[in-house]
Amino acid sequence: MTGDGTRAVRAGLPEPAAYQPPLPGPVLAAHFHLPGDPADAPYGYGRENNPTWSALESAVAGLESPDHDAEAVVFPSGMAATAAVLLGLLRPGDTAVLPSDGYQLLPRLRARLEEFGVTVRTAPTAGDAQLALLDDDVRLLWIETPSNPGLDTADIRRLADAAHARGALVAVDNTLATPLGQRPLGLGADLSVASGTKALNGHGDVLLGYAVTRDPALAEALRSWRTTTGAILGPMEAWLAHRGIATLHLRVERQQINALAVATLLRERSEVDDPRYPGLPEDPAHAVAARQMRRFGSVVSFTLPDRAHAERFLAALRLVDDATSFGGVRSTAERRGRWGGDAVPEGFVRLSVGVEDTADLVADVRQALDAAARGGGAARG
């Protein structure tokens, strides 16, 4: 099997053809010539399918499941992919198990599910606490590991085996890990779901989501949901994301180096509480992460003494943007409590490292910590 870099560079490309581009441009078409029976047509109407989607889906499926046939279905955002799985596969009377510490929009989706007659149970990610909620009534288990923003981990294989023994489907949010860091399908999950807005695209210019499965029936159900709801990805966005995949391996390698360096610095600071990064050997999530992850991601979290201290820190940063995303080439950080959706302290900071030079990034975080501790900081310029 080829290496990650080779797969990323070649992912989803067509066979070489004389005088043709290696990555064809986006197909901007609402409809296609459609003689004969539409059931036999690979492309007919733009809400149902598009060649640029197909290329991206081939690329993503090959990264998430390089040793097996898998199918990817792309969506216009990570939440669109999440909604397609949870709302598209669950029915009134079903029961789902979700993490209580997952992405902040999950509670809103939980409310929708409950309005539609789905029973939802929740438990934290750490310690495989969701295991205790599994019984024969559960139709779907949703795992988020590492969790966002707390960075706890769950044992995918253990939870998937237990869920399957009860007849439940298993979906894993693989956003933070990326397909080069973790392969949920190889660990027993039925679906790997992610926001490709983050590291997969990596350049902060595309909203994108996807779900990958080895089960053709599940893939068809998700495609049907996409067509029926109109939750479709634009061809330009699909093309940009596909283009960006070629550097995914380079980006995640540098980000892991940078994240470990920043996390190590944070552990040395007395004013920093609970610095978290799954790649740190001392981290509570490390043992599980080391068993199932090949790379540990770009996100570091930590808590400063209070809201004002955290805001002084963010204001003093020069190379890190105050923005609400992660996985991009440029480092970002934010005080997560400003949104109100995460159960975190007021001084909690989520920092996503980019691909800047490691020494420069560490120096910037250090000087911002120093400035915040002094009670001030230079304004951004």
Side-chain angles (χ1 to χ4, degrees):
M1 184 174 67
T2 56
D4 286 345
T6 303
R7 281 198 305 280
V9 168
R10 306 294 305 177
L13 298 185
E15 289 297 318
Y19 319 117
Q20 298 300 310
L23 176 62
V27 177
L28 305 171
H31 62 271
F32 301 80
H33 293 295
L34 189 61
D37 187 347
D40 299 328
Y43 305 105
Y45 187 63
R47 190 182 66 250
E48 298 176 348
N49 41 39
N50 178 286
T52 315
W53 298 353
S54 298
L56 175 60
E57 288 171 341
S58 175
V60 171
L63 293 177
E64 286 276 357
S65 184
D67 298 327
H68 299 81
D69 289 336
E71 298 180 60
V73 184
V74 293
F75 294 90
S77 69
M79 280 307 298
T82 300
V85 172
L86 293 176
L87 294 173
L89 300 181
L90 292 169
R91 299 290 181 267
D94 286 344
T95 296
V97 174
L98 274 59
S100 59
D101 55 346
Y103 179 56
Q104 67 171 198
L105 285 184
L106 274 181
R108 296 190 196 180
L109 195 49
R110 172 185 180 174
R112 292 288 186 182
L113 288 168
E114 291 172 337
E115 288 173 2
F116 295 153
V118 175
T119 299
V120 180
R121 306 169 183 169
T122 64
T125 298
D128 299 337
Q130 291 172 295
L131 195 67
L133 303 183
L134 297 175
D135 59 28
D136 293 343
D137 292 331
V138 175
R139 162 68 174 157
L140 188 145
L141 167 65
W142 182 277
I143 305 168
E144 185 177 306
T145 180
S147 61
N148 172 30
L151 302 180
D152 283 317
T153 54
D155 188 326
I156 296 173
R157 174 70 70 185
R158 181 187 184 202
L159 287 167
D161 286 348
H164 289 155
R166 299 288 194 175
L169 294 171
V170 178
V172 175
D173 185 331
N174 203 36
T175 302
L176 202 146
T178 83
L180 297 190
Q182 182 172 264
R183 296 192 186 119
L185 300 184
L187 295 167
D190 301 289
L191 294 141
S192 182
V193 188
S195 169
T197 306
K198 310 302 192 293
L200 188 83
N201 173 56
H203 292 80
D205 53 8
V206 168
L207 292 177
L208 164 71
Y210 68 80
V212 182
T213 181
R214 295 174 182 169
D215 185 334
L218 288 178
E220 181 54 36
L222 294 175
R223 280 191 290 266
S224 177
W225 172 270
R226 180 178 65 186
T227 298
T228 303
T229 62
I232 60 172
L233 180 66
M236 179 58 76
E237 287 78 7
W239 184 83
L240 284 169
H242 193 173
R243 182 193 63 170
I245 286 175
T247 61
L248 178 62
H249 61 297
L250 301 175
R251 292 185 276 112
V252 297
E253 286 288 356
R254 170 57 74 85
Q255 287 168 326
Q256 176 170 259
I257 291 169
N258 284 350
L260 186 58
V262 169
T264 300
L265 166 66
L266 293 170
R267 285 183 55 82
E268 299 169 355
R269 303 288 300 212
S270 60
E271 78 273 29
V272 172
D273 185 42
D274 196 26
R276 297 296 305 274
Y277 181 61
L280 278 171
E282 305 88 351
D283 192 273
H286 181 74
V288 173
R291 288 200 300 269
Q292 65 190 20
M293 299 180 72
R294 298 159 59 241
R295 296 175 179 87
F296 299 108
S298 64
V299 178
V300 176
S301 71
F302 57 99
T303 301
L304 292 171
D306 53 37
R307 173 176 177 168
H309 197 122
E311 290 179 348
R312 291 197 303 271
F313 166 74
L314 294 169
L317 290 164
R318 298 185 177 93
L319 298 180
V320 182
D321 296 330
D322 193 342
T324 181
S325 193
F326 62 86
V329 292
R330 289 171 289 277
S331 294
T332 61
E334 72 169 339
R335 192 181 64 81
R336 286 299 290 176
R338 65 181 177 173
W339 297 102
D342 296 311
V344 295
E346 284 293 311
F348 181 94
V349 175
R350 185 184 71 185
L351 194 158
S352 169
V353 301
V355 299
E356 297 90 352
D357 287 330
T358 307
D360 293 339
L361 185 58
V362 170
D364 188 39
V365 173
R366 179 182 287 112
Q367 68 81 24
L369 289 168
D370 290 342
R374 291 193 300 267
R380 290 176 182 267

